[in-house]
Amino acid sequence: MKISVLTTITNPNERQDKWLEAIDCYLNLADEVVIVNGGYEGSLPDNQGNVTRALLEGKLKIINLEWPYEWNWVEAPRHLNAGREQCTGDWIIRMDIDQFFHEKDFGQIRKKLAGCPKECQVATFQKMSMTYGGKYYQKG
């Protein structure tokens, strides 16, 4: 079973998100991390070499898409679908860039997902949800 984590970034430094820590968390849990970059300019800082190593190994994919100057609900699903199309995992965990998993939960997450039937499209846990296949839609 392969797990992909999908997230988006636009301006994490302005918002002061703990986004670098979140990326490290995702790399530690998942077999693949897909980031849809909607405007962050520059390379990802890499204090411990995790980002560089993950990029070289193909464990981290970065997709660059233009994001409008002002927030627009139409863009969110477009970015998520572009990222989902690049995910190769059996399970796709969609995370906001400021959300984390506790390292003690990694084993439980893998165990629960491995136990889900093939026809299951969404697995939910207390405080967590994962999606299998499908596309993202935004309703307002």
Side-chain angles (χ1 to χ4, degrees):
M1 177 192 66
K2 183 176 179 182
I3 296 176
S4 298
V5 170
L6 169 61
T7 191
T8 60
I9 59 175
T10 51
N11 57 349
N13 289 335
E14 283 180 31
R15 295 174 39 205
Q16 299 179 350
D17 292 336
K18 298 289 186 192
W19 62 287
L20 293 173
E21 293 88 341
I23 292 172
D24 275 339
C25 170
Y26 306 155
L27 288 170
N28 288 328
L29 168 68
D31 302 293
E32 164 186 76
V33 176
V34 176
I35 299 173
V36 181
N37 178 11
Y40 174 72
E41 295 182 9
S43 59
L44 299 177
D46 190 9
N47 296 339
Q48 300 172 355
N50 293 343
V51 169
T52 302
R53 189 170 34 261
L55 282 167
L56 291 173
E57 294 171 353
K59 186 174 178 176
L60 176 62
K61 299 176 186 175
I62 301 174
I63 303 160
N64 294 304
L65 288 178
E66 188 175 326
W67 188 264
Y69 179 72
E70 291 186 22
W71 170 258
N72 182 335
W73 279 104
V74 174
E75 294 299 318
R78 185 173 76 89
H79 283 231
L80 291 172
N81 283 322
R84 190 202 56 78
E85 289 170 5
Q86 296 299 312
C87 291
T88 60
D90 301 308
W91 285 95
I92 301 169
I93 302 174
R94 202 301 241 181
M95 298 290 291
D96 288 338
I97 196 64
D98 59 352
Q99 294 177 330
F100 298 82
F101 292 107
H102 195 285
E103 61 190 23
K104 291 191 293 186
D105 294 329
F106 290 177
Q108 179 185 6
I109 292 168
R110 284 193 166 275
K111 181 179 175 185
K112 294 279 186 183
L113 291 176
C116 287
K118 295 268 186 211
E119 62 274 2
C120 182
Q121 291 191 6
V122 176
T124 60
F125 299 84
Q126 187 177 17
K127 302 181 184 176
M128 295 179 266
S129 66
M130 290 86 181
T131 181
Y132 183 84
K135 290 206 175 220
Y136 293 95
Y137 297 95
Q138 185 67 51
K139 294 183 179 179

